[in-house]
Amino acid sequence: MAYFKAHYPAEFYCALLSTVIGNVEKTQSFLAAAKKRKIKILAPDINKSSYDFRISDGGIMFGFLSVKGIRFDFIRQILAERHAGGYRPFKSLDDFMNRMVDRALVDKHDHDGDAKKREKIAKSYRPIVETLIYVGAFDSLGADRSQLLNRLDVLVEYDQLSMSVPLLESLFVPSKKNVRKLTLDERLEKEKERLGVYLSAHPLDKYSAFAQGIGASSLASLVPNQQAIALVRIKEVKKIKTKKGDEMAFVSCIDQTGEMEATFFPEQFLRYHKGLKKNAELLFYGRVQDRNGLSFVVDRVEPIEYIALHFPNTITIETKRQLFAIMKRYLGPIPVIVEDESKQTKKMLDRRFWLKKDQKMLEEIGELLNRENIRHVKGDPG
């Protein structure tokens, strides 16, 4: 087992993941371990995925069974249609819908399905196909997820699905001129809902340099009795009352490595309860205890806040000197992260160079570096 893990890590974690399908906690843990080994985690692919996790392009690809809301019989139909008469990949969403509706009619021994029957089948497939779009299963076909969702609206109408596939493919243009693109947060939340994990990215990835700079520990690395800082996103808040009638809370929180419950005793809950909202991104300071599982006992909560500076390749030594001259006039408690394009680094400056919140400072530095190269970053308050 150890040899297999050391020499074939992708295959090792792929096999493990296939044994815990449906167990979100273990899936998250194994995926985090695989990512630490620099193994790519790939979204389901309508033309490559099978039932279970599989190795593809040197990474681990999600199987259809890991997608919530996809029926087993529908997965079987996808694979049967894809491999009917040899390997026949789906060329577009239009092609996929037409072929899947055709297969459903054939399975029902109905070779003369009229438009209304096709429409009924297509509408029954709509929530499943919508889920496949949200998890990225059609990304490899080259269309944006927002466009695909818009196109799906058109395809569930019987008069579209009754056309020939070549004609449909010529119509692969969103019917709405201005299709609103899904934001990154929307994409991530849809992935989390349907896969149990964030796949394209993680909402906390943008704070990686900040977390490292302040010495935050990942949830997966925490051990009993450890004093720690955790940078987390709140998933759920459960309030209860003690025997004395005081309110306290158990807060489910996540980071890139997993999930843990944080405990707020009455004193801390009274002090920080206003900021404990779903999707709030915060710093928790406290200690880890083990009582029927690990939990984080919170002593203090702080907002995520820092100044982000971007050094383009064209920045000169003289510009840097002028920058630090400005910074010396505005020293304060807010951490500063510098992303250096030429060095390909992103690091937190020493505490001696931290700044205070000041609009005039932001304007001065903005004039020197260009406004897009300085940002005052704050965590999502939920």
Side-chain angles (χ1 to χ4, degrees):
M1 184 73 77
Y3 177 87
F4 190 45
K5 181 178 180 180
H7 293 86
Y8 302 95
E11 290 80 0
F12 174 80
Y13 285 109
C14 184
L16 282 181
L17 285 161
S18 290
T19 66
V20 297
I21 290 173
N23 186 324
V24 174
E25 190 174 329
K26 287 189 176 181
T27 297
Q28 288 176 337
S29 177
F30 290 148
L31 287 174
K35 287 177 181 177
K36 278 188 177 179
R37 297 291 298 270
K38 308 298 183 185
I39 299 168
K40 291 185 296 182
I41 306 300
L42 307 172
D45 189 305
I46 204 67
N47 284 323
K48 294 181 180 179
S49 288
S50 186
Y51 293 102
D52 299 328
F53 288 88
R54 63 177 297 182
I55 299 297
S56 180
D57 300 324
I60 299 173
M61 178 174 286
F62 269 81
F64 292 125
L65 283 176
S66 294
V67 184
K68 296 176 185 177
I70 307 297
R71 303 194 312 262
F72 187 85
D73 65 308
F74 192 81
I75 298 172
R76 187 173 63 240
Q77 285 179 317
I78 291 174
L79 300 181
E81 179 58 33
R82 203 171 70 192
H83 296 282
Y87 176 59
R88 295 170 57 231
F90 299 106
K91 298 176 182 178
S92 65
L93 181 63
D94 304 59
D95 181 36
F96 176 82
M97 288 294 288
N98 272 278
R99 286 166 59 182
M100 291 299 287
V101 170
D102 286 344
R103 174 158 290 275
L105 290 169
V106 169
D107 289 347
K108 293 178 180 179
H109 306 290
D110 183 349
H111 298 279
D112 301 307
D114 61 20
K116 287 188 176 180
K117 288 181 180 178
R118 296 178 68 84
E119 178 190 13
K120 184 177 180 180
I121 294 170
K123 286 183 175 178
S124 72
Y125 285 172
R126 178 178 181 164
I128 302 175
V129 179
E130 189 176 78
T131 287
L132 288 170
I133 292 171
Y134 277 131
V135 300
F138 291 93
D139 286 1
S140 62
L141 301 183
D144 178 80
R145 293 182 196 180
S146 303
Q147 291 179 323
L148 289 167
L149 290 167
N150 181 57
R151 184 61 184 162
L152 183 61
D153 289 340
V154 177
L155 291 178
V156 295
E157 300 301 328
Y158 72 92
D159 58 329
Q160 292 291 312
L161 282 169
S162 62
M163 295 180 187
S164 64
V165 171
L167 178 56
L168 278 173
E169 288 178 348
S170 72
L171 294 172
F172 195 71
V173 178
S175 59
K176 300 173 186 174
K177 290 184 178 180
N178 297 310
V179 177
R180 186 185 72 83
K181 279 198 170 188
L182 293 170
T183 65
L184 177 59
D185 281 346
E186 287 173 332
R187 284 182 56 172
L188 294 178
E189 286 306 318
K190 294 298 184 183
E191 290 174 358
K192 186 75 162 62
E193 286 173 12
R194 290 158 170 81
L195 291 173
V197 296
Y198 296 107
L199 195 57
S200 298
H202 192 282
L204 301 182
D205 283 347
K206 55 185 175 286
Y207 305 126
S208 294
F210 174 74
Q212 183 178 359
I214 63 170
S217 300
S218 67
L219 294 180
S221 71
L222 296 177
V223 295
N225 303 316
Q226 178 184 351
Q227 291 285 336
I229 307 170
L231 192 155
V232 301
R233 182 182 177 96
I234 291 178
K235 180 179 176 183
E236 186 180 10
V237 179
K238 294 180 182 178
K239 294 186 285 186
I240 65 168
K241 285 192 175 183
T242 65
K243 291 179 180 179
K244 293 182 179 180
D246 299 321
E247 279 194 319
M248 62 175 289
F250 297 105
V251 178
S252 296
C253 51
I254 61 169
D255 70 1
Q256 296 95 320
T257 66
E259 184 173 334
M260 187 174 285
E261 185 177 79
T263 303
F264 282 76
F265 287 116
E267 182 182 344
Q268 283 72 29
F269 183 71
L270 181 63
R271 186 179 303 163
Y272 300 115
H273 70 278
K274 290 182 179 179
L276 301 180
K277 300 175 183 177
K278 184 177 180 180
N279 294 332
E281 298 163 344
L282 298 163
L283 291 172
F284 286 176
Y285 293 74
R287 59 184 171 81
V288 183
Q289 69 175 13
D290 187 0
R291 292 184 181 176
N292 299 318
L294 295 183
S295 65
F296 195 90
V297 179
V298 178
D299 295 323
R300 180 162 54 100
V301 176
E302 288 187 2
I304 297 169
E305 183 178 16
Y306 60 91
I307 303 293
L309 299 175
H310 177 255
F311 288 179
N313 280 324
T314 53
I315 194 169
T316 64
I317 293 176
E318 179 55 32
T319 300
K320 289 182 181 180
R321 284 179 183 153
Q322 292 177 41
L323 170 63
F324 283 106
I326 295 172
M327 291 172 66
K328 283 180 182 179
R329 302 202 307 272
Y330 297 98
L331 298 179
I334 302 176
V336 178
I337 303 242
V338 173
E339 182 177 15
D340 193 320
E341 201 172 296
S342 62
K343 295 179 181 177
Q344 302 255 308
T345 59
K346 193 174 184 180
K347 294 181 179 179
M348 182 180 288
L349 295 183
D350 186 84
R351 189 177 290 269
R352 294 174 298 157
F353 302 103
W354 289 9
L355 301 170
K356 62 183 177 182
K357 181 180 177 180
D358 192 291
Q359 187 59 37
K360 188 177 179 183
M361 176 207 68
L362 294 174
E363 290 172 1
E364 285 186 46
I365 295 178
E367 287 179 13
L368 180 67
L369 296 181
N370 289 329
R371 190 66 190 88
E372 66 269 18
N373 290 324
I374 179 170
R375 291 181 298 123
H376 183 199
V377 180
K378 288 187 175 184
D380 190 335

